[in-house]
Amino acid sequence: MDKVRLGWLDGTFIAYGDVKLIFDPISSKRLTQDIKVFVSHAHSDHTYGLSLKNKKYATPETKEIYEKIKGRKVKNIEAVPIGGEVKIDDIEVKFLNAGHILGSAQFKVSTPEKTILYTGDINCVDTLVTKAAEPVECDELIIEATYGSPFYVFPERNKIYGEMVKWAIKKVNEGKIPVFKAYAIGKSQEIIKLFNIYTNLTVACDFKVAKVNEAYLSSNIKLVYEKCFEVFKSKKETPLIYVSSNPIVDEKKFAKAIATGWALNLTGDAFPLSNHADFNQLISYVRETKARKVYVFTGQNEIKSYLQRKLKVESCFLPEFNQKTLT
């Protein structure tokens, strides 16, 4: 009889014997204090667990980014670096690079019966600020498949970089301030690095992006930037790029663009720069793990059927747990 219990309990729940683990919980309503919390990365839709009283585990980078944004320390947490391991009775959890943002982790959960790999968000190509996620072999895979549809195949990254730089320089020559709206964590730092490397333009960013930048600098990722209020206060005429996580007021001096994988659905000034794996990357990743069974969540239904039809891999959504199941 399989002693491993696995399913969705307002987060990905894995238990073996008396050991109970939850990955990236989004609520505490059904969580007891004996459940250990693992947080994959610092994006706000994954960090609810860092506010709980439970014993918590995350990478040092995830902890630092969260603390800088929230302005408070995380309590009862063990910071585990990528490549590190946590052993809890008969279960061992290894932290692996997810390639998504600074400090993002996948978790390989080894029990006496089987190994389970939980990805969280992953990116399978190198960027200017991160290294690609590397698949590892496992028995069962729990994969977050945000872009799990064949429609979502991104252009080669250097091509996207080139188009972004070309657009920005064109707008500067028109007397505009190019603005890229992007996530404060991960995407913004990649854009800053892009313009640091390929142009001599001043790069300015909003306050939240600047707080995250500090964590990247702590990890020896060099970023050259100015805080927006300092730049605009000085009223310099120097051409600049503005990177912001917030909407920009509709002023004539700004030319606005968005950087997101969803840009494939958009028209206008939008660039499909994503920190997530696209459909082809997800399929390749699953193949290389050699998983016998794949659980898909936060993704499209197409990838589940594709895995069954093309790869002949058993694939399904995470089963829903309830409190009665746990007891």
Side-chain angles (χ1 to χ4, degrees), residues 13 25 61-62 72 142 146 155 199 249 268:
F13 179 85
E61 297 87 354
T62 294
R72 62 176 184 268
I142 306 169
T146 302
T199 76
V249 292

Side-chain angles (χ1 to χ4, degrees), residues 32 66 76 81 91 93 138 140 175 195 199 206 226 231 258 271 278 280 284 296-297 301-302 310 321:
T32 53
Y66 180 86
N76 195 22
I91 291 183
V93 182
C138 60
E140 296 183 3
F195 284 92
T199 76
D206 66 29
E226 307 246 4
V231 171
I258 187 170
F271 300 94
D278 69 5
N280 288 344
S284 177
V296 176
F297 70 107
N301 190 53
E302 289 118 307
K310 297 290 186 178
F321 267 150

Side-chain angles (χ1 to χ4, degrees), residues 152-167:
Y152 294 106
V153 176
F154 303 133
E156 198 272 327
R157 208 170 195 86
N158 282 334
K159 182 179 179 181
I160 301 172
Y161 288 157
E163 291 297 322
M164 292 173 69
V165 170
K166 181 180 177 182
W167 175 84

Side-chain angles (χ1 to χ4, degrees), residues 102-288:
L102 178 67
S104 59
Q106 309 172 70
F107 302 106
K108 184 179 180 181
V109 182
S110 299
T111 76
E113 293 189 5
K114 65 175 107 173
T115 58
I116 303 163
L117 181 61
Y118 168 83
T119 68
D121 290 322
I122 55 170
N123 178 36
C124 300
V125 296
D126 290 344
T127 78
L128 296 175
V129 291
T130 56
K131 292 293 184 182
E134 295 183 9
V136 295
E137 292 186 13
C138 60
D139 297 312
E140 296 183 3
L141 172 66
I142 306 169
I143 190 165
E144 194 155 351
T146 302
Y147 292 107
S149 165
F151 175 79
Y152 294 106
V153 176
F154 303 133
E156 198 272 327
R157 208 170 195 86
N158 282 334
K159 182 179 179 181
I160 301 172
Y161 288 157
E163 291 297 322
M164 292 173 69
V165 170
K166 181 180 177 182
W167 175 84
I169 291 176
K170 180 175 182 290
K171 296 305 176 183
V172 166
N173 290 336
E174 292 173 357
K176 304 280 189 178
I177 297 176
V179 179
F180 289 97
K181 186 179 184 300
Y183 292 127
I185 308 171
K187 193 80 63 67
S188 289
Q189 289 70 40
E190 184 177 1
I191 295 171
I192 292 170
K193 190 69 173 179
L194 169 64
F195 284 92
N196 286 168
I197 292 175
Y198 293 107
T199 76
N200 292 318
L201 293 169
T202 298
V203 182
C205 61
D206 66 29
F207 179 77
K208 186 175 182 181
V209 172
K211 296 298 290 184
V212 178
N213 291 350
E214 294 173 10
Y216 276 69
L217 294 171
S218 296
S219 294
N220 297 316
I221 298 174
K222 186 179 179 181
L223 300 172
V224 181
Y225 63 96
E226 307 246 4
K227 296 175 183 176
C228 66
F229 55 85
E230 294 174 351
V231 171
F232 295 139
K233 185 178 179 180
S234 69
K235 296 183 179 179
K236 293 179 180 177
E237 295 299 325
T238 306
L240 61 87
I241 304 294
Y242 184 37
V243 181
S244 177
S245 57
N246 298 311
I248 303 300
V249 292
D250 191 16
E251 295 185 28
K252 291 182 179 180
K253 66 179 179 179
F254 292 114
K256 292 169 283 187
I258 187 170
T260 173
W262 304 114
L264 294 181
N265 291 321
L266 304 175
T267 58
D269 295 325
F271 300 94
L273 185 71
S274 178
N275 291 336
H276 294 81
D278 69 5
F279 183 80
N280 288 344
Q281 292 172 36
L282 290 169
I283 297 302
S284 177
Y285 181 95
V286 172
R287 184 184 290 112
E288 291 186 53

